[in-house]
Amino acid sequence: MKRKIIIFLSVVLTLAVLLFAGMSYFIGLQVFDGSTQLVNNENTREVPENFWEEYRMNYEEFCEKHKIEKVEIISSFDGHVIPADYIYSHQSEGNKNHKTVVLVHGLGGNRYTTYPYAAFFLEKGYNVLAYDQRSTNENTAKYTTFGYWEKYDLIDCIDYVLEKAPGQTIGVWGQSFGGATAGLAMGYDDTHKKVDFVILDCPISNMEWMIKDNMKDMDIGIPVSYLSWCGNIVNKLKLGFFYKEADVASAMRNVDIPVLIINSKADTVTPYFMGKDIYDSIRSKNKQIWTVEDSKHAMMWIDYNQEYRKRVTELLNSIEKRT
């Protein structure tokens, strides 16, 4: 009798474990799908409504004023095409062998949404390389990973510029999701040694926090911590990394090139602490942080345009003196 009870309990326990594992995997798949398909090519084809008006920019005039060459860079990571625009400053006289800035757009944007910033860098005499991130516009690479896989596209873009402009000043500007891409790229395999400066505008600092934050208002009766745990396991199984590995602050510890971080205390998308955590983690003193009190997410260019220009101009001037 005792033996039968033990067998029965063992079967029940095994079934319970299998049921828990199956349920956890199913839940993890839903979290994984939700977190790695945040945008798609179709819904990022156009710029947001009233975008050009909001940024006080005439797109047609910009395109007429500058030579814009479409380039296709092949990903060294998984072979997809990275669509990009190489925009020439007048000072370069149509030559790629010139100082250049790579622009990395945020989630939901595309390479065209970086054009207002491109106009500024072009005024400063820099060529610009603006490209589409994964699953965005013409970049058909699958999965969005809060910068973890996206960093490989950026590194390929940096290498492309290095090949075309050896010995020239090269910078990286990334905003929000693009800030995470830029930060993780800088900390990967000493990529920061390939460039001269990096600007992070409202950067995401932590993939795990973002996923939990996106799930906190879900009223489904399941703890967010459990949902995140399930998603984390599936993410590791499918993509080969845990959420904690997409941590910009940790990645940037040893970055020693000039870094400018721009953020706002009123930002509810990438809260103030994110930029501050990245700033505090950088061991080098070659860093700056500019924080405003009242701008919404990634709106400092519009709200504090002259100050934004001034801060970046000072950084660029310091780079010119060093080189």
Side-chain angles (χ1 to χ4, degrees), residues 26-303:
F26 175 79
I27 292 172
L29 279 175
Q30 312 314 306
V31 175
F32 173 82
D33 289 341
S35 64
T36 59
Q37 294 296 323
L38 295 170
V39 294
N40 59 51
N41 301 104
E42 290 304 315
N43 63 27
T44 53
R45 293 286 183 202
E46 307 292 336
V47 300
E49 189 177 357
N50 299 323
F51 177 84
W52 302 115
E53 181 181 348
E54 186 175 33
Y55 279 84
R56 299 177 185 175
M57 183 175 182
N58 187 306
Y59 173 75
E60 288 74 19
E61 285 184 6
F62 177 84
C63 293
E64 290 175 4
K65 183 179 179 181
H66 297 285
K67 177 184 175 182
I68 303 175
E69 176 188 350
K70 183 172 180 179
V71 297
E72 293 184 342
I73 301 166
I74 304 302
S75 166
S76 61
F77 178 62
D78 56 10
H80 64 273
V81 172
I82 307 167
D85 290 338
Y86 217 111
I87 313 174
Y88 296 84
S89 67
H90 296 306
Q91 291 90 330
S92 73
E93 298 180 342
N95 192 338
K96 284 190 176 75
N97 191 8
H98 192 77
K99 60 184 181 181
T100 305
V101 178
V102 181
L103 304 184
V104 194
H105 66 79
L107 189 69
N110 55 36
R111 65 184 190 268
Y112 304 116
T113 60
T114 66
Y115 273 23
Y117 304 91
F120 166 77
F121 287 109
L122 291 163
E123 289 172 10
K124 296 299 177 182
Y126 283 79
N127 285 348
V128 168
L129 181 69
Y131 72 98
D132 290 329
Q133 292 218 76
R134 299 175 63 91
S135 296
T136 295
N137 193 25
E138 296 178 344
N139 188 328
T140 58
K142 193 175 181 182
Y143 302 127
T144 54
T145 63
F146 290 88
Y148 192 83
W149 275 11
E150 286 82 357
K151 69 176 181 281
Y152 299 115
D153 279 9
L154 174 54
I155 293 169
D156 286 333
C157 288
I158 292 170
D159 288 341
Y160 179 86
V161 173
L162 280 170
E163 180 185 347
K164 304 299 181 182
Q168 299 286 354
T169 299
I170 298 175
V172 173
W173 172 95
Q175 186 174 73
S176 189
F177 193 94
T181 299
L184 289 169
M186 291 304 102
Y188 178 77
D189 202 22
D190 287 336
T191 300
H192 65 99
K193 295 181 179 179
K194 298 179 179 181
V195 303
D196 297 282
F197 67 89
V198 60
I199 301 169
L200 307 179
D201 183 333
C202 297
I204 290 173
S205 68
N206 185 285
M207 178 179 184
E208 185 172 26
W209 188 93
M210 292 297 295
I211 289 175
K212 286 182 177 179
D213 187 64
N214 287 333
M215 293 188 297
K216 68 182 182 182
D217 294 326
M218 296 172 59
D219 188 18
I220 57 176
I222 301 176
V224 168
S225 57
Y226 174 62
L227 292 172
S228 176
W229 180 81
C230 293
N232 198 19
I233 297 298
V234 173
N235 198 83
K236 176 66 174 179
L237 292 172
K238 284 186 164 288
L239 303 186
F241 70 95
F242 289 116
Y243 294 158
K244 66 180 180 180
E245 296 175 63
D247 186 283
V248 180
S250 296
M252 291 195 68
R253 272 188 199 131
N254 296 320
V255 171
D256 58 6
I257 59 171
V259 177
L260 172 61
I261 297 170
I262 301 169
N263 64 355
S264 171
K265 289 186 177 179
D267 191 341
T268 58
V269 178
T270 58
Y272 163 75
F273 78 83
M274 289 198 159
K276 186 64 164 55
D277 284 352
I278 296 171
Y279 176 81
D280 289 341
S281 74
I282 300 172
R283 292 169 179 161
S284 167
K285 294 182 179 179
N286 207 0
K287 59 182 179 178
Q288 303 174 56
I289 185 168
W290 171 44
T291 303
V292 303
E293 296 289 330
D294 54 356
S295 285
K296 293 181 180 179
H297 181 64
M299 294 296 286
M300 284 77 86
W301 177 261
I302 293 174
D303 296 341

Side-chain angles (χ1 to χ4, degrees), residues 1-9:
M1 184 68 178
K2 185 177 180 181
R3 177 175 156 78
K4 289 183 178 180
I5 293 175
I6 293 174
I7 294 174
F8 174 76
L9 291 176

